[in-house]
Amino acid sequence: MLPSHHFAARTAGLTLEQHIPGQKIVQSTGDAWKEAEAQIFCRPVEEEEVLVPAVSDPLLVWVLSGEAKIEERELSGQWLQSDAKAGCFFLTQTEAPYLMRWKAKQDTPFEVLHLYLGLPLVNRAARSLGLTPSRCRMRDASGARDTFIAGVLSGLVAEIRSDTPDNRLFINGLLESLTIHLLRCYATTQSAPTAKGVHLPAWKLHKALSYMEEHLALPFDLDSLAALCGMSRFHFSRSFHTTMGQSPSSWFIRRRVEQAAILLRQTTLSVIEVALSVGYENPSHFSNVFRKAMGVTPRHYRKRQEP
């Protein structure tokens, strides 16, 4: 059986892997990666909008090749753009989900490394610096460059792409050096621990999100979600809100609206047909929900998309 911290890092990777489109090229394996996980992906040239779920472990994304314009925003915030070029990195340790979209140049494959740093590794590194782990958190960074990070990640990429067995001592040394550097240069220290609820384990979050995605046209069913995760309604709702920054029903409604927006952009279905396809039998109610989320009615939204 895998250690719990290794399982947590792996499920964090699986959660994002299911939500961000692309072809996985390489996956870290073996005992050398017990406290971290690395994956290399080739991303599609363009993606309209992706919901990135909350991941409690620090995530470092390093651009290996290609170039893209990437935009990110909180669920209720404004889009923020950054340039992604080979050698730059993105760092996040988010308590709430966010939205992302990108458009890459077509002349070079858009390949990225995802590196998840397990909390046992981060906490041990924090203690070695005399820091209190519960008060440390990585700052967000988008499109940044750092020669030390680039050097360490180059070594890790070479190791996971090599045909020879991974060297545990070498990989652990690189991971620990990288984590200490991130804590020194990219972490904030809170004056006191913040009060937090219990996060929903990554595998339960994946189950719940997948179930809702598959049943967008059906009524929201909190009982089924809680049963699926083996939890009471109250504890599931509270843990989901802690992890995702919103209630399960709010997330469900948002995904309905996002799916409706895709249909309005990419199909010729009538507004009524779009409403029915995402579970709204009352067109007026659908219009109100859509306008509250997107700022315009479905008809005005479609007109804005026309050339």
Side-chain angles (χ1 to χ4, degrees):
M1 179 179 292
L2 292 174
S4 59
H5 55 261
H6 185 264
F7 181 75
R10 180 70 188 110
T11 51
L14 280 172
T15 298
L16 284 192
E17 189 178 327
Q18 296 294 327
H19 284 79
I20 305 180
Q23 177 187 1
K24 184 163 65 174
I25 301 171
V26 180
Q27 168 74 53
S28 60
T29 57
D31 290 343
W33 293 92
K34 284 185 176 179
E35 294 185 329
E37 180 182 14
Q39 303 167 316
I40 295 177
F41 293 94
C42 183
R43 298 299 185 196
V45 172
E46 185 173 1
E47 189 62 34
E48 285 286 343
E49 195 170 280
V50 175
L51 178 71
V52 183
V55 178
S56 59
D57 296 338
L59 168 62
L60 192 64
V61 178
W62 191 45
V63 181
L64 294 169
S65 69
E67 185 175 338
K69 294 287 186 183
I70 294 182
E71 292 181 287
E72 303 166 288
R73 74 172 176 88
E74 297 178 352
L75 297 184
S76 58
Q78 298 294 317
W79 288 106
L80 301 175
Q81 181 177 294
S82 56
D83 292 324
K85 298 180 180 180
C88 73
F89 72 92
F90 295 74
L91 176 66
T92 187
Q93 186 180 6
T94 178
E95 291 290 340
Y98 62 96
L99 296 169
M100 178 173 65
R101 62 189 182 191
W102 69 81
K103 186 172 185 179
K105 292 187 175 181
Q106 299 189 25
D107 54 351
T108 307
F110 185 36
E111 295 185 354
V112 297
L113 167 75
H114 278 210
L115 179 64
Y116 302 87
L117 300 173
L119 292 181
L121 168 64
V122 177
N123 293 345
R124 187 172 65 250
R127 287 190 290 268
S128 77
L129 295 172
L131 303 173
T132 303
S134 61
R135 300 186 183 185
C136 296
R137 191 154 199 87
M138 300 297 179
R139 300 195 307 269
D140 285 344
S142 296
R145 289 183 178 272
D146 186 309
T147 54
F148 183 87
I149 291 175
V152 173
L153 294 180
S154 294
L156 290 172
V157 168
E159 194 71 9
I160 63 174
R161 280 180 161 168
S162 173
D163 293 331
T164 59
D166 292 337
N167 185 294
R168 183 172 182 175
L169 186 62
F170 178 64
I171 290 176
N172 286 349
L174 290 177
L175 290 172
E176 289 179 353
S177 298
L178 174 64
T179 305
I180 289 173
H181 179 76
L182 291 173
L183 287 168
R184 282 175 170 170
C185 302
Y186 299 95
T188 58
T189 304
Q190 300 167 341
S191 58
T194 57
K196 298 177 182 177
V198 177
H199 280 272
L200 197 64
W203 66 273
K204 290 187 177 183
L205 176 64
H206 174 61
K207 268 190 171 185
L209 296 182
S210 296
Y211 181 88
M212 286 191 280
E213 288 281 0
E214 294 168 4
H215 296 84
L216 288 178
L218 299 178
F220 175 73
D221 189 348
L222 180 59
D223 288 328
S224 293
L225 289 169
L228 189 68
C229 295
M231 303 170 70
S232 69
R233 288 163 52 101
F234 171 77
H235 285 101
F236 171 77
S237 295
R238 185 174 65 173
S239 297
F240 188 98
H241 193 286
T242 299
T243 305
M244 299 297 284
Q246 59 186 313
S247 68
S249 59
S250 295
W251 189 92
F252 184 76
I253 291 170
R254 180 70 194 186
R255 284 299 299 135
R256 277 182 162 183
V257 170
E258 290 168 352
Q259 180 61 28
I262 291 172
L263 294 174
L264 289 168
R265 289 196 307 266
Q266 301 180 0
T267 75
T268 58
L269 293 174
S270 69
V271 172
I272 293 177
E273 288 172 323
V274 169
L276 290 171
S277 71
V278 293
Y280 291 97
E281 296 182 359
N282 185 320
S284 177
H285 179 51
F286 167 66
S287 181
N288 289 336
V289 171
F290 191 95
R291 181 174 54 192
K292 183 177 180 180
M294 304 296 286
V296 294
T297 65
R299 285 187 173 83
H300 286 157
Y301 179 84
R302 172 170 271 171
K303 286 182 180 179
R304 284 185 176 183
Q305 311 305 313
E306 295 174 354

